[in-house]
Amino acid sequence: IIFDKNYKNKINFHNNYKILSKRDVYQSLDIAEIIKPQEVYKDIFDKSKSIVKNNPYKLGGAGDLEILYNLAKLKNVNNILETGVANGWSSLSILLSIQGTNKKNLTSIDLPYPYKNSDKYIGCAVPNNLRNNWKLIINNDKKVLTDFLNKKLKFDLVHYDSDKSYEGRINSYELIWKLLNHNGILISDDISDNNAFIFFSQTKNLIPIIYKYETKMIGILRK
């Protein structure tokens, strides 16, 4: 494979790809009822914000919690995987979506910051009463994903929000794709950092769903 010499550069998506509105994104994913978790569960989010505020480590911000909540609600989405947890905002949103059911579950992978005693703060936004459907694994993405492949595990929804380097994305995307069930969904944050997501989409002959969330671009692929 020959890479463009600028493959690590940030991309101006507006010049080459159609940027969908949030409404069009939901329509493309067959989501009719849109729920805003931060409004419905305001008290829970407010309490989690207080906990995160006291976290001595800055572990990163939240992704698009609304779309994650609504994707997790889909009937054919049962086994959910996320890479990159930090404070656990995405985890919280997904777990709120799947609470009260034994059929759905979330597995999360994260690696603590080196030389910091930060592992005990990973996922601190998630209250204890929502952790029954949650498995948090503190380890390297590649190691855990490879282990999942060897165990023949499958997932219906994967949220990628960990290693943002080109090489890290490409390696993880390939492993994740093998773990996805047919019609499974991969959603990836910050895809404008480099062209890894676009290149991966091309290797699968798929046109990605791309939309802007706050200051970043989010990409979605359905297998």
Side-chain angles (χ1 to χ4, degrees):
I1 299 171
I2 299 175
F3 296 110
D4 184 303
K5 66 179 181 180
N6 296 318
Y7 72 93
K8 291 185 179 181
N9 290 354
K10 289 194 173 186
I11 303 167
N12 186 340
F13 282 99
H14 293 278
N15 290 343
N16 301 294
Y17 293 90
K18 182 178 180 181
I19 309 302
L20 298 184
S21 67
K22 194 69 170 291
R23 181 178 179 180
D24 289 338
V25 171
Y26 279 125
Q27 187 174 6
S28 299
L29 296 168
D30 303 317
I31 297 174
E33 182 184 8
I34 300 169
I35 300 171
K36 299 181 181 297
Q38 288 165 295
E39 294 179 5
V40 176
Y41 302 100
K42 185 180 183 301
D43 291 346
I44 295 175
F45 276 96
D46 285 346
K47 186 174 180 180
S48 292
K49 286 176 185 176
S50 298
I51 293 171
V52 170
K53 188 177 181 180
N54 293 322
N55 185 345
Y57 302 111
K58 188 176 180 181
L59 299 181
D64 187 350
L65 306 186
E66 180 188 291
I67 200 162
L68 291 172
Y69 181 95
N70 288 288
L71 282 171
K73 277 287 182 194
L74 291 172
K75 289 183 180 180
N76 62 334
V77 170
N78 294 309
N79 297 321
I80 305 167
L81 172 67
E82 67 170 342
T83 68
V85 178
N87 288 307
W89 291 117
S90 297
S91 311
L92 172 60
S93 188
I94 293 169
L95 290 167
L96 284 169
S97 178
I98 67 175
Q99 66 178 325
T101 172
N102 294 324
K103 189 176 182 181
K104 293 174 179 272
N105 62 85
L106 171 65
T107 301
S108 304
I109 310 168
D110 203 359
L111 196 62
Y113 286 89
Y115 312 115
K116 288 185 178 181
N117 185 27
S118 63
D119 53 326
K120 65 181 179 181
Y121 294 100
I122 293 174
C124 63
V126 180
N128 290 331
N129 66 307
L130 288 177
R131 298 189 174 218
N132 291 336
N133 295 34
W134 190 32
K135 182 177 183 180
L136 175 60
I137 301 173
I138 308 299
N139 211 322
N140 175 271
D141 280 1
K142 185 178 179 181
K143 183 180 184 302
V144 178
L145 294 174
T146 301
D147 184 51
F148 287 169
L149 275 176
N150 292 334
K151 292 178 178 178
K152 301 186 183 327
L153 298 183
K154 289 290 185 179
F155 296 91
D156 307 302
L157 171 64
V158 180
H159 176 224
Y160 184 87
D161 192 20
S162 48
D163 187 348
K164 303 299 173 66
S165 70
Y166 181 92
E167 293 82 2
R169 288 178 188 268
I170 287 294
N171 291 333
S172 292
Y173 289 158
E174 287 290 351
L175 291 170
I176 287 168
W177 203 250
K178 294 174 183 176
L179 289 167
L180 271 177
N181 279 318
H182 179 65
N183 286 326
I185 296 169
L186 165 63
I187 177 168
S188 182
D189 275 12
D190 303 303
I191 63 169
S192 56
D193 289 350
N194 51 56
N195 70 11
F197 184 82
I198 295 302
F199 175 75
F200 180 77
S201 302
Q202 292 171 346
T203 65
K204 304 304 177 187
N205 296 314
L206 293 172
I207 298 174
I209 296 171
I210 299 172
Y211 72 100
K212 187 175 182 179
Y213 174 71
E214 295 181 347
T215 60
K216 59 187 177 182
M217 291 292 181
I218 293 179
I220 300 173
L221 289 173
R222 191 192 289 270
K223 185 172 180 180

